[in-house]
Amino acid sequence: MPLDLTPSQALGLWHAVTLQQVHEDGRDLTLRQLAILLEIYLVPPPHTVRGLAAKLGVTKPVITRALDTMGEQGLVTRMRDDRDRRNVIIKRTVDGALYLERLGDLIIARGRAQNP
Amino acid sequence: MPLDLTPSQALGLWHAVTLQQVHEDGRDLTLRQLAILLEIYLVPPPHTVRGLAAKLGVTKPVITRALDTMGEQGLVTRMRDDRDRRNVIIKRTVDGALYLERLGDLIIARGRAQNP
DNA sequence: CATTTTCGTTACGATACCGTATCGTTTCCC
DNA sequence: GGGAAACGATACGGTATCGTAACGAAAATG
């Protein structure tokens, strides 16, 4: 079931969602932070700082900082790995799942409203 | 032609596009900046600072700053309105159109690859 | 005209992110 | 065991954004 859309639909969808995101989302996540969040919640665990850095093509401090910020907001949690205590395992939270669920709903709603 | 997608497709699409955006886009636009850019290019002119601020629900300095940054990158231009010289008219540029065209292509490509 | 309103910009101090380099801890390897 | 390597966090100086407030120019008001 390929997801085929026209250039007009594609940009229109991005426009509508981005607009509403700016309007209503008090969190104001960076593009990088959002990418990290989506990676954590959509890709099977385990997730580590190093792994996320490699996947996104950024340095480790970027991941650490983003996890700090999103951790304060309750979107993710960190736990040391007991098997290899150098590693840190990034874990999902209820609030994070809720946040992305709302984002998904927003995309769907805007997609539906896009070409009625 | 409604654009119907499942929650999985919606977030998956956002994930894929955001990821590639982080990977390849050297511009690193803010969510607000992207929203402004899309508004300028997808909504019929004229565009003013005040109008954009109202549409996005942000203050005017936010718009001015974003236009400064994106202006340096050649994504938009500003011109004083000769009919009412208090106003500033925001104009599109070739580079800006090209940038959004590439974004559209990226979304389409990722949408197609999403559920092959 | 003088005053008020409108519009965009600038000033200001605060906050957050950036990239590079370094650190402390833990594990690996000889 | 002892040194090298891996992992995540921290330090640092630099830059960009934030929100609030004030500013100058231009137009509308009466």
Side-chain angles (χ1 to χ4, degrees):
Chain A
M1 165 164 157
L3 183 51
D4 246 314
L5 19 72
T6 68
S8 167
Q9 281 181 326
L11 287 180
L13 178 62
W14 231 256
H15 180 218
V17 173
T18 303
L19 214 60
Q20 184 159 346
Q21 192 88 324
V22 167
H23 223 233
E24 307 191 343
D25 189 2
R27 272 181 232 265
D28 200 29
L29 294 187
T30 300
L31 188 69
R32 289 176 164 185
Q33 292 171 342
L34 180 58
I36 294 172
L37 200 62
L38 284 164
E39 181 74 20
I40 294 171
Y41 280 83
L42 295 186
V43 172
H47 298 286
T48 65
V49 172
R50 184 187 97 270
L52 291 173
K55 183 67 172 288
L56 298 210
V58 299
T59 59
K60 288 186 294 176
V62 168
I63 305 294
T64 296
R65 276 189 296 254
L67 293 179
D68 287 345
T69 301
M70 294 192 293
E72 289 175 3
Q73 302 187 12
L75 296 177
V76 294
T77 316
R78 277 179 281 193
M79 286 187 53
R80 273 235 113 81
D81 183 359
D82 277 329
R83 306 198 188 283
D84 184 340
R85 299 189 49 76
R86 288 174 302 182
N87 291 343
V88 162
I89 306 295
I90 291 96
K91 299 226 158 192
R92 303 167 184 171
T93 66
V94 174
D95 279 6
L98 224 70
Y99 177 80
L100 285 190
E101 187 183 320
R102 271 200 296 268
L103 174 60
D105 288 346
L106 169 59
I107 298 171
I108 293 173
R110 287 311 188 168
R112 230 189 292 271
Q114 192 60 15
N115 305 48
Chain B
M1 166 164 160
L3 183 51
D4 246 314
L5 18 72
T6 68
S8 167
Q9 280 180 326
L11 287 180
L13 177 62
W14 231 255
H15 180 217
V17 173
T18 303
L19 214 60
Q20 184 160 345
Q21 191 89 321
V22 167
H23 234 139
E24 307 189 344
D25 189 2
R27 271 180 231 267
D28 199 29
L29 294 187
T30 300
L31 188 69
R32 288 176 165 186
Q33 291 171 342
L34 180 59
I36 293 172
L37 200 63
L38 284 164
E39 181 74 18
I40 293 171
Y41 280 83
L42 294 186
V43 172
H47 297 286
T48 65
V49 172
R50 177 175 166 63
L52 291 173
K55 183 66 173 287
L56 299 210
V58 299
T59 60
K60 289 186 293 176
V62 168
I63 305 295
T64 296
R65 276 188 297 253
L67 293 178
D68 286 345
T69 301
M70 294 192 293
E72 289 175 5
Q73 302 187 13
L75 296 177
V76 296
T77 316
R78 276 181 280 193
M79 287 186 53
R80 272 236 114 81
D81 183 359
D82 277 329
R83 307 199 188 283
D84 184 340
R85 298 189 51 76
R86 288 173 301 182
N87 291 343
V88 162
I89 306 295
I90 291 97
K91 299 226 159 194
R92 304 167 183 170
T93 66
V94 175
D95 279 6
L98 224 70
Y99 177 79
L100 285 190
E101 187 183 321
R102 272 200 296 269
L103 176 59
D105 288 346
L106 169 59
I107 298 171
I108 292 173
R110 288 312 189 168
R112 233 189 290 271
Q114 192 59 14
N115 306 48

